[in-house]
Every structure is written in C-alpha cells, then in structure tokens.
Amino acid sequence: MLLSLVLHMYSMCCVLPAAVLLGTAPTYVLAWGAWRLLSAFLPSRFYQAVDDRLYCIYQSMVLFFFENYTGVQILLYGDLPKNKENIIYLANHQSTVDWIVADILAIRQNALGHVRYVLKDGLKWLPLYGCYFSQHGGIYVKRSAKFNEKEMRKKLQSYINAGTPMYLVIFPEGTRYNPELTKVISASQTFAAQEGLPVLKHVLTPRIKATHVAFDSMKNYLDAIYDVTVAFEGTVDDKGQRKEAPSMAEFLCKECPKIHIHIDRIDKKDVPEEQVYMKRWLHERFEIKDKLLIEFYDSLDPERRNKFPGESVNSKLSLKKTLPSFLILSGLTAGMLMTEAGRKLYVKTWIYGTLIGCLWGCCSGLTQGLTGKRCVASQRWS
C-alpha cells in the first residue's frame, strides 16, 4: 500500500503540470485568435508586439513548472548576455526539454516573447500548437532533398521587413542524440568520416542548410550567434555510461537536479558567409561542444565530471516572473469552465482549433510542395 501511494504521488508530480499546461491551451488560443482578428487591418508590427507579449505570458507559465515547480538548478557558464539581441541560437539536441532550455536563457534577457523556432515539418500537426507556432514566427522545414530554401528565405525576409525581434532557435543535428540509438550515431559518424570531418562522440554531425539560410538571410539584421551547449546532470548509469536525457514528463517528475548550460556569444562578423566555409565552421563549433561534453561525462578526474570547465553562475528564476502568468491563465481557464457556455466554448476550441490546424497543415504542405517543385524545375532548367 505504501509503495502504491509513493507511485501515485510520483505520477502526480508530472500529471498536475501537464494538465495545467494542456488545459490552458484553449484559453490561450482563444486570446490569441481574438487579437489576430482585431489586428487584421493593423500594421504587422502591432500584431507582432502583442503576440510576443501573449507568448511571453504562456511561456512564463511553462517555466513556472519547469523551473520553480521542479526546483531544478540552472548553472550558466561562459558568456552571459544580459541585453536583448537579434540572434541565432545554435544548440545540441538530446531531449524534448531542449525547447524549454531556450526559454530559460531568453527570460533572463527579457526576450522570452521573441523566441521562435526552426521546427521539423511533422510538428505542424500538433493540435492547436502546430498552426500557432507558425503564426508566432516558427519555420517548419523538411530534411535533406525536401528542404525548401526559398520558402524559408521568404518567411525570414518578411520578419526582417516587419522589424520582428528575432531569437531564432535551431538544432543543427536535425534529430535528438540518444546514446541508446547506436545506428543513428554510427550513421552520423560514418558520414563525418566520409566528408573528411572529425568524428564526434557526444553530439551528431550538424546539418548546414537551415543554419546557412538563416544566417545568410538575416546577416545584416543579426547581432550575434549564441553557441549553446547543454548537459543534464543525472544522465549517467551505474557503469559510468551516458544514458538518454530526461523527457518532459521525467523532467516534471523532478528526475533532473541540474542543467548545465555553456554559452559562447559569437559576433556575426566572425561567422563565414559562404556555405562551404560555414559548413566547416559549424562542424568546428560542434567539435568544441563535443570536447565540453567529453569533459562533462568522461573526464578521468572525478572532480571535473558533471560540470563544464570554468566558473559557473547559479541562476535562480524569481517567482515574480512566472507565478503571475500561471495565476492569470489558470484563473481564466477555471472561470471559463465554471459556466455551461464557457465549457462549450472550451470544447469547441479544442475540436475546431484542431481541425483548422489540420486544414492549415494540409494547405501549407501543398503550397510548399508546389514551390519546391518549381525550385527543382528551375534548377534543372538552369
């Protein structure tokens, strides 16, 4: 009975936050949808400013759970930018929590509403969120030959023209690093060897396309690139071998005591513009990440494991930045669910919001497919 109680309490650790985060989604989408309609005839910068504020409110609530609720310790190393900048954020990718890590840094610069992601195309089918991420400035991309460069450049240029603040998050590996997926790691290492590039151990060989297109499109708009390396403490087994990073559910169950984040701020003038040189530069940046992670996981000196080289700053997020958002969104949602009309609106938002998102996904996929075919045809013709 005691074991059952313990297991029940453990599961509740992540069930409660998940219920609130998902439960407030219709409320947020309704607020955003109302503003989208009201701002239809206003200049895009007005829509973007309020949308960024709304996004900041929702993501602050997310951080209430992922930081304040879990009690995770955030340790920052390297360059610690304090001011808002237009940047590209390049990081290693190992967990679904990596998306939250970008928020963790952005809120400390008061730039949380400016976070936008380059996302894999399949995520556009997420109920409610899939369509919204695109409206907030996210860019969905397909891998390898299906990558639509023209569409990505067009979208980035529209943001530049509108003066949209940019905190663009890219994971150049293209998929998550999981030490248990040995075939994926082996294929990545084989590709690097074939290309004459150093083989990496704790990260995958980075892909260049999205990073190059983003930088080339925004080089006159950007201030810098943030090269971010992330390690989750507690991801080593009894034999000293690295294991899979925590999922969002595991993280909310307080299975990760510390996140170590190393930041290198790179001025845009130090980044090569031509793709062939940028490819080598990006791989060199991932070589640096790999060395940091080898030190973190594999150092022969036990005193040097579970931390990055150099001094760290224990950065604690104040409840003042997150609790109000939690109270506002949960309060509005609770108020809606207390009336019959509100409950009907809530359910309809889930149903019709999901259907509209699916319709949007189909239409955007068709448009991108036709654009991609025209690009291929023009390349063949030329």
Side-chain angles (χ1 to χ4, degrees):
M1 183 177 177
L2 181 59
L3 178 60
S4 176
L5 179 62
V6 170
L7 291 173
H8 178 70
M9 292 299 293
Y10 176 81
S11 64
M12 285 300 294
C13 284
C14 63
V15 170
L16 177 62
V20 175
L21 291 171
L22 289 173
T24 55
T27 308
Y28 178 76
V29 169
L30 280 171
W32 167 77
W35 170 241
R36 188 63 171 159
L37 290 173
L38 289 170
S39 64
F41 301 103
L42 297 175
S44 59
R45 66 178 181 274
F46 289 107
Y47 160 74
Q48 198 69 62
V50 176
D51 175 60
D52 284 357
R53 184 58 193 156
L54 289 172
Y55 186 79
C56 181
I57 291 171
Y58 185 80
Q59 293 302 323
S60 293
M61 183 186 68
V62 171
L63 289 177
F64 169 77
F65 287 110
F66 277 88
E67 277 206 64
N68 302 119
Y69 171 81
T70 62
V72 66
Q73 190 175 351
I74 306 297
L75 296 171
L76 304 178
Y77 303 75
D79 303 322
L80 305 174
K82 295 181 180 180
N83 301 319
K84 295 179 185 179
E85 297 184 288
N86 288 319
I87 61 107
I88 293 175
Y89 170 112
L90 302 177
N92 57 313
H93 194 18
Q94 58 198 307
S95 167
T96 48
V97 182
D98 291 334
W99 306 100
I100 310 300
V101 174
D103 288 346
I104 286 172
L105 289 183
I107 197 171
R108 286 161 170 80
Q109 292 179 267
N110 294 315
L112 186 55
H114 304 165
V115 175
R116 313 177 207 284
Y117 299 100
V118 174
L119 304 141
K120 63 181 180 182
D121 192 65
L123 292 174
K124 70 184 180 185
W125 301 107
L126 284 173
L128 300 184
Y129 296 102
C131 176
Y132 172 71
F133 282 146
S134 177
Q135 299 301 306
H136 178 65
I139 301 172
Y140 291 106
V141 297
K142 295 182 179 179
R143 294 173 184 166
S144 61
K146 295 182 179 180
F147 180 85
N148 193 332
E149 178 179 331
K150 185 177 180 181
E151 187 67 24
M152 183 174 178
R153 286 184 182 275
K154 180 181 177 182
K155 195 159 190 179
L156 288 171
Q157 189 59 52
S158 70
Y159 298 145
I160 294 170
N161 293 343
T164 303
M166 191 59 64
Y167 200 103
L168 186 65
V169 178
I170 302 176
F171 299 109
E173 291 161 285
T175 191
R176 293 192 295 271
Y177 177 97
N178 182 346
E180 297 175 8
L181 300 180
T182 55
K183 288 185 178 179
V184 174
I185 296 171
S186 178
S188 173
Q189 292 174 340
T190 299
F191 175 78
Q194 290 173 346
E195 293 289 310
L197 299 168
V199 173
L200 307 172
K201 181 180 180 181
H202 284 293
V203 291
L204 302 176
T205 303
R207 302 164 187 257
I208 186 61
K209 285 185 178 179
T211 304
H212 177 258
V213 171
F215 184 79
D216 190 55
S217 300
M218 300 193 297
K219 58 191 175 187
N220 295 322
Y221 191 70
L222 294 173
D223 295 301
I225 286 181
Y226 292 176
D227 182 6
V228 180
T229 306
V230 180
F232 297 95
E233 196 163 315
T235 52
V236 176
D237 61 23
D238 296 336
K239 298 179 181 179
Q241 298 297 310
R242 184 179 176 184
K243 60 182 182 181
E244 186 178 2
S247 65
M248 283 190 176
E250 290 167 338
F251 193 90
L252 288 171
C253 286
K254 306 182 181 183
E255 292 190 10
C256 179
K258 299 177 183 178
I259 304 179
H260 299 256
I261 308 172
H262 188 282
I263 310 113
D264 275 332
R265 183 190 182 280
I266 303 166
D267 195 280
K268 65 180 181 181
K269 70 177 186 297
D270 297 324
V271 181
E273 294 184 13
E274 292 186 32
Q275 183 169 331
V276 64
Y277 298 118
M278 182 180 281
K279 181 179 180 180
R280 178 66 203 185
W281 172 86
L282 184 61
H283 197 88
E284 288 173 353
R285 296 309 310 180
F286 270 73
E287 289 174 51
I288 294 171
K289 291 181 186 295
D290 203 40
K291 289 176 182 177
L292 288 170
L293 292 169
I294 287 172
E295 183 84 359
F296 187 92
Y297 290 110
D298 305 329
S299 177
L300 297 176
D301 183 356
E303 295 295 321
R304 297 172 67 179
R305 285 188 215 137
N306 289 319
K307 62 182 180 181
F308 290 133
E311 295 294 322
S312 65
V313 174
N314 183 3
S315 180
K316 189 172 182 179
L317 183 62
S318 171
L319 272 172
K320 292 179 181 178
K321 288 195 172 185
T322 59
L323 184 59
S325 295
F326 164 69
L327 295 175
I328 290 169
L329 286 171
S330 57
L332 288 173
T333 302
M336 185 185 301
L337 294 176
M338 288 177 67
T339 66
E340 184 178 353
R343 288 191 292 273
K344 287 181 179 179
L345 179 61
Y346 183 88
V347 172
K348 287 180 179 179
T349 302
W350 265 117
I351 295 171
Y352 293 118
T354 300
L355 291 174
I356 291 171
C358 289
L359 181 62
W360 170 85
C362 291
C363 292
S364 66
L366 180 62
T367 302
Q368 289 184 18
L370 292 172
T371 304
K373 286 180 181 179
R374 286 198 294 269
C375 289
V376 171
S378 73
Q379 289 171 1
R380 287 175 177 171
W381 180 259
S382 59

